[in-house]
Structure formats: structure tokens, C-alpha cells
Amino acid sequence: MKAYNPHEIEPRLQLAWEEAGLFRSPDDSPAPKKYVLEMFPYPSGDMHMGHASNYTYGDVVARYAKMQGFDVLHPMGWDAFGLPAENAAVKHHSHPAIWTYENIETQKKSFSRMGFSYDWDRKVVACDPEYYRWGQWIFLKFWERGLVERRNSPVNWCPSCATVLANEQVIEGKCWRCDSEVEKRDLTQWYYKITDYAQELLDDLDQLTGWPERVKQQQANWIGRSEGANVDFILCDAEGNAPDAPTAEDIITVFTTRADTLFGCSFFVLAPEYAGLADLVAGTEYEQPVMELVEAAKKVSAVERAQGDHEKHGAFTGRYVVNPINNEKVPVWVADYIVADYGTGAVMAVPCGDTRDFEFARKYDLPIIPIILPEDDPLYPQLAGEQGRVVTEVDWPEAYAAEGILVQSGEYTGMKGGKHSEGEAAIVAALEEMGRGKRTVEFRLRDWLISRQRYWGNPIPAIHCPACGVVPVPEEDLPVRLPEDIDLAAGETLATHAGFAECTCPVCGGLARRETDTMDTFTCSSWYYMRYTDPHNIHAPFDSAKANAWMPVDQYIGGIEHAILHLLYSRFFTKVLRDLGLLDFDEPFTNLLCQGMVLDAHGDVMSKSKGNVVSPEEMIAEYGADAVRAYILFLGPPEKEKLWNEDGLPGMYKFLNRLWRQVHDLVGKAGDETLFQEAPAPEVAVKAAQKLARERHRVVQKVSADIERHNFNTAIAAIMELSNATGEYLRAFSPEARAACEDHIALDGEVAETLVKLMAPFTPHLADELWQKALGNEGFAYGQPWPEFDPEQAKADEVELAVQICGKVKARIMVAADAPEADVLVAAREAVAAAIEGKAVKKEVYVPGRLVNIVAV
């Protein structure tokens, strides 16, 4: 028998797979289809352990599906645009394209070295003009449907990256990529109107039964649907006099889910970014303190302001509005705990019912009017009877945000208050009748800001003409190519590159200027999985028939950090392209597996900036790719975080060597490596053969179920159990004895083939070598039928039970698998008779297949 040598086997088989075109995905086969996909990586250089684990999970799923009889689409590509490539190019005096494509080749070699079953004919690279051309085409189609808008508004600005960020890319007030504090700036930018699909994006989460609940909940929270009402407050003078015929400039609208609390509105608050704020205070004594607060608020992240945990600051504007429900004059303030991204940027402050309003009112000595109480509150009898004078002098220690009974609320006093309550409905109806309010729905989700002020991105296909305005680039002129002769090291940008920026208007033919912002890199990753279905199409982004045949993706694998970035954007793109008639499905990914982070030995997330990234290359060089793959899978469930520790890798390598010997031994090719030592008693040998036959069926059943549940670690553990049973059997019978018995010959061949096939998704090189050289078969284990099992034969004749006394294991017994409970309890008592002698047995608990617990005192 030749020794197991992964360093000779693996490169040879990888070349054989490539020459055979083994992983190519046919489009016209009648076989059922399975689309398995891992999120494509950013080409940052060598593969790291996060890549290795994520893509190994996907490879197991893809290979298993192939053995189940599916035609499998399992492609790979690169999310190649973005800021890191641009920064790296400047640092290394190179060009982003050179840096990117060199890294792509490095990663591709690493992926091949791991034995991943990718169809490289379908490779997609986001910075290839033949790919980003269709990203521009999609932009134009969105524009035609009214889903593109260019407007001036406050935006998130990362000073380190020198570009704007979408709301989803601001994590706890910091840039998602570089961790710098994010500022607010007023800029004119391009947006995708994802809000047009807010309700459908929320509703269709119910379709995603194969997604983790935590991902769906994150998206639901981010979309943030609130049912309430828009309420119009009218600006008035210091005496409370409002114009008889107010204009649009006189009206400030707020959105509230608690119109029932309007009688408790004691002040009115505007966000520092509120559009009309500067005009409200212009030329007054209040202008300076208000504008100082506006500037100070720019240094506090929107997240911190929305959470309301930091100290609140405000400034009085000198203006007032009239509360429409009771015609009371209310002072208008500006405060840094109000954000413009939700509602209208204006808030009716009800300090008795909102903690942030309460804290602000206490700090600035503003009235707190109790208007909602539980009936058992000591104040209820007093306030429920006050129909005239409004009581504000009561001891009100904290905000009461729960539901209750309305007090001090005019004719609505005594009604139930709360969201969707009797009082809320009555007050909204009254506002609608007087023309000062309207029932509405508001979403937390905001339109997707896609402009980026960087070079290395997909150019926005728009042209600015002095005569025609902003016009789209004609489809026949796509792609708008990035200039290759840009000097980033000298600070040159697309805006200063005359050859790119200066152009001719396609409408009037006059001199014009090209749009010099590029698109957010997430626009590239929002549809790449569709391009994989038809990657060489030069007439369209993809052929609809091919996309509809392969999609939606059956199994998608990637990090949960993309829950409200890539995953939400991809759902949006899918729905728009469906409405364009290109797709016939609603959701892009049927099943989603979110893998946990791989942590270093200290429990820290691996990252290049921390210098703690572990590369699998050195481990592959010592133990081979199959051992690394199997060890990664054996560490634990994919969705859990894992502490990386290489100490167990030699043990996995040892297991593969043992399996190698066992398969050769089963087929009579082990030579001196046979495991047979000395013939045991006949009954022991017979039991070993019976156990092996049973274990074959049981383990195939378990491994099949575990792979489908993505419990790869327990699947490998089950194969180890089959290997243990095989070892017992091989030590019980000499090769000559087995060769002389037809039953043994059949069992040997069946178990050998089963071991090879079970390992094929996990350790494909080892499996293929054994398939060809040990078993003497043609072709590869890849694509062979998955082994079958008989559930009846998988059942054990006997089971081992732990016998506990008061929860502590005192003995173990073997009983028939179908033994009656009474017989099991008798056997358990006999096993621990000495330990319970003289004690009273109070209770006996039998857990079938596991244990008996005897409570004896």
C-alpha cells in the first residue's frame, strides 16, 4: 500500500479536475438544479482563515448536492471595486487595477489549492468593464423607472475615506470600513429610491423561511415601519396668534405614533438639520446660539443622538407654533437628540411620556404636563377630574411611556391611550376633520445614497449639460470607462482628469461635463449572483431564461454583518429587476447560512489591521488541504464563533491516515499495513461484523441529515464512529478469513465505498484518490450517487445507558434497544444495588437511549 501523501495527491487531482472540466455547470441539462453560493470576497491578497472556513462550508454543500443528483452551479468571483484598492495603490505607487488583479490571481490559486469546486468559466470580477457596463445599464433602467434621484441633503461624511456613506454603512456613529467618526455635511448626491419598496421588503421577510430569524429581525428593525399620523402645527407670534390662511412656509408637520398624547405637548423640537431652521432664526437674537448648536451637533453621531444616551443640548428659536388639538401656544426649540433621518425632522415633545423629552424638559425647565396614567396611580383621581386648569406642578419623577387612561385631555379624558388605542383613533379623526392631520405610515428606512467621491468605482452614467441639465449617457455609449492614466499619488481625481470629465452632451451636442462620482461598491454586489447564470452575455446583464432556471440561489453563505447592507440591497435589486420583466421570482436567496467569526487565540476577530490573521497556506504545506478542510469543519457549527487553535490539526491528519489504511485493508490492498492482529473470540468477531453493518446504515443516515442541517462537525464525528467500528471489524478478521467468506467480501466492499463517498464532500482529494486507486474505479467520487441507507437496519440491537444516582453517574448498562421500561429499571437497580442498599428509592426517571436516574435517600 502506498502511504497517504496529500502533497503528491492534491495537486495532481486538482489538475485532473481542471482538465476534465469537472465543475462546469450545464445550462441545458434536464437534471434538477441547485445553486450554491458563498459571498464573493474582496481581493485583499492571500486567503485567510475566514475565507477558508466560509468557502469550505459552501464546497461541502455543493459537492453533496452533486452526489444527490443535482446539476450544481457553484461559481466564484471578486467584489473588486472599493476604497482599499485605491488606498493600497497610492501607498505602493501602483494602480488600483494592477493591485486588484494581482491579488485576484493570488486568491484564485489559494482557492484552487483548497480544492474548492468552482466553475471558473463563470468567474465575475466587478471591476471588469464587461461587468460594470451592466451595472451602469441597470442604473439607467432604475432612472427610467423613477428610482434614481439627485438631491441636496445632509449626508454621512467619512473624513478618513474622503467620501460619503449610506446610512447602513454607519455603525454606531463610525465608518463601517475604517472606524473613523462620521460627520454630517450638506451635499448634492445620487440616491436609489429603495424606500419605494419599503413595504414589500418588510412583507416579504415572511417568505424567507430559510433565513436566520436574527437577520430577518435586523432588516425589519432597519426598515422600521410605524403607523401613525402626520400632524400640522402652524407658526404663530409670541401671543399665540396664527395666520388665518397659513401658507406652506407657516406649517411644520410632525409624524407621531402617539397622537393620543397631543395634550401633553409642552414644547416643539427641530433637528439641527431641519431644512427651514436657518430662516426661522435669521436676523434675530436667537440666530447665534441656534447656529452654534447646529455646528456642535455635527460632531455627534446620528446613532448617539438617536439613542439619546448622551447629554442633551438645545437652543430656543424664539418662535412658537399652535398645537392643533387645543390651540395652545408651544415654544419651538432645536435639540441635538433629534435626527432628521426619521419622520420630518420635527418632533412634538411630550415629556410626560418620552424619556428624552423628559430629560430635556428638566434641563431647560420646560413644563411637564401629565396626560396619561394607569388607573391605579395615586394622581389619577385628581387629574382625571381636571377639565379646566392644566396641572403641571405635580411630582412627576420619570416619563410614563406605557399605555393608560388619558387625563387632562379635554373631551378625550377617560379614554384609553396608547398606540392604536381608542384615544389615538379619536384624536386623529378630529385632526383629519379639521384638516390638521392625516393617518399615515412612516419608515425608518431612507433612500440609498450611492454616490462616492473616489476613483476606483463604477462611474455613474450621467452628464451635466449647461443647456439640458442632467441627462443619462446613451446605452450605446456604455460602459463609461474609468481612465487608466490617472495619477492618484499626485492627488488627481476623476473631477480633475480632463480626459474623463470633459465631454459632449448627447442631447444638444454642446460642451458638457461628465458625472465624476462613482457608485457605492454595494451596487456591484447587489446583482453579481445573477451574472453568474450568464457571465459572457454581451447583449444583456443576463439572459432571463437562464437566470430564472438557476435562481433563486438555493443556499447562500456569508457573514451576518451584511444583514442590512448587501442582503437588503440585493433584495431591493431583485424586486426592481423583476418589475423590469427580467426575473420571475421575488427574493434572491432561498436559504441563508451566516457563518460565525473565526477568532484568534485571544478571542479577537482576525483582521489585517490587528496583525492577527491566520493564513491556511502554512498548514496546507504541512498537512495538506484535506486535513485543513476537515479540521475547519470539525471545529464547531458554522454559525458559531470559533477560537482558532491549530493543536487539533495533527489529530485530524492522523484520522485521515487511518481512514486511508482502513479502505485499503477492506479491499485487500493494505499489505503489511493490515489492522488484523490476533483473532478474538468467535462471538466478539461476529458482533464486530454485525455492528459494522449496522453502523454503515446509521452513519449514512446521520451524515446525510447533518449535512442538510449544516452540522458538518457532527457529520465528521459520525464518520469517525464508522471508522472506529471498521477498526474493530478489521482487527477481528484476517484478510484471508474475509476473502474466504462472500458475506465479508460484500460487507468489505460496501463499507469501503461508503467511507470514500461520505468523505468526498469534506476531503475530496483523499476520496478521489481512494476511489480510483484503492477501489479501482474510473472517474471521480464527485458526482457518484450518495450512499443509501435502510432506517430499519440503522437501529441498534443494544444501547448503552448511564445509570445515575441523584444525578451522578454510578454505572453503565447494555440493554436491548426495544427493552420495556420495567426491564430497564430492573437492570439499572441491579447495576447499582450496592450503592442504594439501605436507601429508600423515591423516584426513577428513564430517558430512552440515554440514562436512568434513581433518586434514593
Side-chain angles (χ1 to χ4, degrees):
M1 178 188 73
K2 184 177 69 172
Y4 172 55
N5 182 0
H7 308 299
E8 184 275 327
I9 293 169
E10 291 174 358
R12 172 167 48 79
L13 281 169
Q14 289 160 12
L15 181 60
W17 295 341
E18 183 179 352
E19 291 176 346
L22 196 61
F23 308 128
R24 288 179 186 160
S25 312
D27 288 316
D28 53 0
S29 169
K33 292 178 170 53
K34 185 82 74 173
Y35 189 173
V36 179
L37 184 64
E38 304 95 60
M39 294 181 185
F40 66 168
Y42 192 83
S44 55
D46 288 342
M47 176 177 61
H48 55 68
M49 198 51 64
H51 291 137
S53 60
N54 190 40
Y55 303 141
T56 301
Y57 300 146
D59 200 53
V60 171
V61 175
R63 288 177 177 272
Y64 174 73
K66 183 65 176 178
M67 297 182 76
Q68 289 285 335
F70 290 93
D71 277 340
V72 176
L73 174 57
H74 188 212
M76 179 47 66
W78 280 271
D79 190 11
F81 271 138
L83 188 59
E86 187 169 336
N87 289 344
V90 172
K91 180 179 179 180
H92 296 101
H93 307 288
S94 182
H95 189 281
I98 296 173
W99 186 90
T100 298
Y101 284 105
E102 286 178 349
N103 283 340
I104 285 173
E105 286 306 308
T106 298
Q107 281 192 350
K108 185 176 182 294
K109 290 176 182 177
S110 296
F111 292 168
S112 297
R113 184 70 184 87
M114 285 289 290
F116 297 144
S117 57
Y118 294 132
D119 181 354
W120 288 114
D121 285 348
R122 294 177 181 264
K123 179 181 70 174
V124 163
V125 179
C127 63
D128 284 349
E130 56 265 33
Y131 178 78
Y132 71 71
R133 166 193 180 182
W134 297 111
Q136 295 173 7
W137 182 88
I138 289 171
F139 176 95
L140 296 179
K141 294 303 175 185
F142 277 36
W143 198 347
E144 290 173 9
R145 290 188 69 85
L147 294 171
V148 172
E149 190 171 86
R150 187 171 181 269
R151 62 175 182 265
N152 183 274
S153 60
V155 297
N156 306 303
W157 176 267
C158 176
S160 175
C161 296
T163 188
V164 299
L165 304 172
N167 286 348
E168 293 84 356
Q169 293 167 327
V170 180
I171 311 299
E172 295 183 352
K174 296 181 179 180
C175 173
W176 73 288
R177 186 175 292 283
C178 73
D179 236 17
S180 298
E181 292 285 342
V182 171
E183 303 171 355
K184 282 287 186 180
R185 292 191 180 183
D186 286 328
L187 295 173
T188 300
Q189 299 291 287
W190 292 88
Y191 293 83
Y192 274 156
K193 297 179 68 177
I194 192 174
T195 53
D196 284 13
Y197 285 78
Q199 188 64 56
E200 187 180 357
L201 287 167
L202 182 63
D203 291 343
D204 285 359
L205 288 172
D206 292 337
Q207 294 185 27
L208 303 177
T209 57
W211 283 39
E213 285 300 320
R214 56 178 180 157
V215 175
K216 294 194 290 183
Q217 191 58 55
Q218 283 188 47
Q219 289 205 4
N221 292 342
W222 188 257
I223 295 168
R225 186 182 192 275
S226 299
E227 296 182 15
N230 280 338
V231 182
D232 293 338
F233 287 71
I234 299 177
L235 287 164
C236 63
D237 58 25
E239 284 70 43
N241 299 313
D244 294 331
T247 64
E249 288 75 21
D250 298 319
I251 299 172
I252 301 180
T253 301
V254 302
F255 170 78
T256 178
T257 61
R258 295 294 303 273
D260 56 302
T261 64
L262 262 169
F263 283 87
C265 175
S266 59
F267 60 100
F268 197 85
V269 198
L270 301 177
E273 299 87 0
Y274 185 78
L277 178 59
D279 292 336
L280 284 179
V281 296
T284 71
E285 62 184 288
Y286 304 99
E287 182 175 14
Q288 182 176 346
V290 166
M291 300 317 294
E292 286 176 354
L293 184 128
V294 168
E295 288 302 312
K298 293 178 179 179
K299 301 176 182 178
V300 183
S301 75
V303 172
E304 289 178 296
R305 288 166 54 192
Q307 289 174 340
D309 296 332
H310 75 298
E311 183 181 357
K312 297 160 185 62
H313 302 89
F316 180 44
T317 66
R319 303 299 302 270
Y320 298 86
V321 291
V322 174
N323 185 336
I325 201 65
N326 58 10
N327 290 318
E328 291 289 334
K329 179 185 70 172
V330 179
V332 178
W333 286 66
V334 58
D336 62 0
Y337 71 96
I338 307 298
V339 294
D341 285 344
Y342 181 74
T344 64
V347 172
M348 52 174 247
V350 181
C352 76
D354 182 273
T355 300
R356 295 171 301 174
D357 294 344
F358 179 86
E359 293 173 354
F360 191 83
R362 279 287 176 87
K363 179 174 181 177
Y364 291 101
D365 198 24
L366 295 165
I368 299 174
I369 307 170
I371 48 85
I372 189 166
L373 293 169
E375 286 189 83
D376 59 358
D377 192 290
L379 289 173
Y380 181 74
Q382 173 192 355
L383 299 181
E386 293 285 346
Q387 296 296 318
R389 186 176 67 89
V390 174
V391 178
T392 62
E393 298 86 3
V394 298
D395 181 19
W396 197 257
E398 60 183 358
Y400 178 74
E403 297 182 352
I405 305 298
L406 293 179
V407 297
Q408 301 197 119
S409 298
E411 63 185 280
Y412 309 101
T413 295
M415 290 185 178
K416 288 184 178 180
K419 290 182 179 180
H420 314 299
S421 65
E422 171 195 15
E424 193 266 352
I427 289 176
V428 172
L431 291 170
E432 288 182 325
E433 185 175 350
M434 68 177 74
R436 298 286 293 277
K438 185 178 181 181
R439 178 75 62 189
T440 191
V441 172
E442 183 71 26
F443 292 91
R444 179 175 184 260
L445 180 69
R446 287 294 174 258
D447 286 334
W448 175 11
L449 194 164
I450 66 165
S451 302
R452 296 295 178 269
Q453 291 69 47
R454 306 298 300 202
Y455 160 72
W456 193 238
N458 191 357
I460 293 175
I463 291 173
H464 300 266
C465 174
C468 305
V470 183
V471 297
V473 172
E475 287 184 26
E476 59 269 21
D477 292 342
L478 300 181
V480 177
R481 288 178 174 264
L482 286 173
E484 297 180 3
D485 59 343
I486 195 165
D487 189 351
L488 296 174
E492 189 175 20
T493 66
L494 290 178
T496 60
H497 189 287
F500 178 83
E502 296 173 4
C503 64
T504 301
C505 174
V507 177
C508 69
L511 292 178
R513 186 171 180 81
R514 195 178 300 283
E515 173 60 62
T516 56
D517 279 357
T518 54
M519 293 188 225
D520 179 8
T521 183
F522 281 98
T523 62
C524 299
S525 60
S526 293
W527 71 280
Y528 77 105
Y529 45 89
M530 301 174 192
R531 183 67 175 178
Y532 280 141
T533 67
D534 190 20
H536 306 297
N537 196 324
I538 62 173
H539 304 292
F542 51 83
D543 179 84
S544 293
K546 292 181 179 179
N548 291 328
W550 282 110
M551 291 193 67
V553 174
D554 295 283
Q555 183 63 65
Y556 199 37
I557 303 172
I560 196 171
E561 66 271 18
H562 293 297
I564 55 172
L565 288 161
H566 163 62
L567 290 171
L568 183 61
Y569 296 152
S570 295
R571 296 182 62 222
F572 167 55
F573 260 60
T574 298
K575 294 178 187 303
V576 177
L577 294 175
R578 174 206 61 196
D579 292 346
L580 286 166
L582 298 178
L583 304 172
D584 63 7
F585 49 88
D586 300 325
E587 292 288 339
F589 315 120
T590 302
N591 296 291
L592 174 67
L593 172 61
C594 290
Q595 90 281 6
M597 294 284 189
V598 180
L599 310 178
D600 67 13
H602 303 290
D604 295 325
V605 175
M606 292 185 185
S607 70
K608 285 193 171 183
S609 61
K610 294 179 181 178
N612 63 347
V613 171
V614 174
S615 171
E617 293 292 339
E618 291 183 6
M619 288 169 277
I620 293 174
E622 185 169 359
Y623 299 104
D626 278 344
V628 174
R629 286 171 59 114
Y631 185 59
I632 288 170
L633 296 165
F634 195 62
L635 282 175
E639 66 275 9
K640 301 296 184 182
E641 289 185 343
K642 300 163 195 66
L643 283 173
W644 180 253
N645 186 334
E646 297 175 30
D647 293 346
L649 191 52
M652 183 59 69
Y653 181 69
K654 184 177 180 180
F655 165 66
L656 297 186
N657 274 277
R658 183 179 73 183
L659 205 67
W660 174 271
R661 294 195 306 273
Q662 288 176 340
V663 171
H664 280 87
D665 202 341
L666 286 167
V667 296
K669 296 182 179 179
D672 294 338
E673 296 292 330
T674 176
L675 297 180
F676 178 75
Q677 297 170 350
E678 184 176 332
E683 64 272 15
V684 174
V686 170
K687 280 192 173 183
Q690 291 173 341
K691 179 180 178 181
L692 180 59
R694 184 177 62 250
E695 282 289 272
R696 193 209 77 79
H697 290 276
R698 183 189 70 82
V699 169
V700 171
Q701 182 181 37
K702 178 166 177 53
V703 172
S704 303
D706 284 348
I707 291 178
E708 288 168 5
R709 292 193 297 261
H710 305 139
N711 293 337
F712 307 125
N713 57 322
T714 55
I716 292 177
I719 298 173
M720 290 177 173
E721 292 168 0
L722 179 57
S723 174
N724 291 338
T726 301
E728 293 175 18
Y729 169 76
L730 291 174
R731 285 188 292 272
F733 295 95
S734 68
E736 293 78 16
R738 299 197 324 267
C741 175
E742 290 186 5
D743 288 344
H744 283 310
I745 292 172
L747 180 61
D748 288 1
E750 187 178 7
V751 172
E753 184 171 308
T754 298
L755 283 169
V756 171
K757 287 184 175 181
L758 289 180
M759 290 302 293
F762 306 107
T763 57
H765 310 89
L766 172 76
D768 275 353
E769 185 73 359
L770 290 172
W771 178 259
Q772 295 174 358
K773 301 296 176 62
L775 303 187
N777 294 316
E778 296 293 327
F780 305 94
Y782 179 84
Q784 299 300 322
W786 186 250
E788 298 179 350
F789 64 89
D790 182 345
E792 289 302 316
Q793 294 190 56
K795 293 179 180 178
D797 295 330
E798 289 185 320
V799 293
E800 184 181 67
L801 303 178
V803 181
Q804 300 176 340
I805 298 178
C806 297
K808 294 185 177 180
V809 177
K810 297 296 183 181
R812 295 185 180 275
I813 58 174
M814 295 297 296
V815 299
D818 57 354
E821 181 175 349
D823 293 349
V824 172
L825 294 177
V826 169
R829 284 193 294 269
E830 290 176 352
V832 294
I836 62 176
E837 184 177 358
K839 296 182 179 180
V841 176
K842 298 294 186 181
K843 188 178 182 181
E844 294 174 319
V845 178
Y846 172 43
V847 181
R850 292 183 57 198
L851 60 85
V852 174
N853 185 38
I854 299 173
V855 180
V857 294

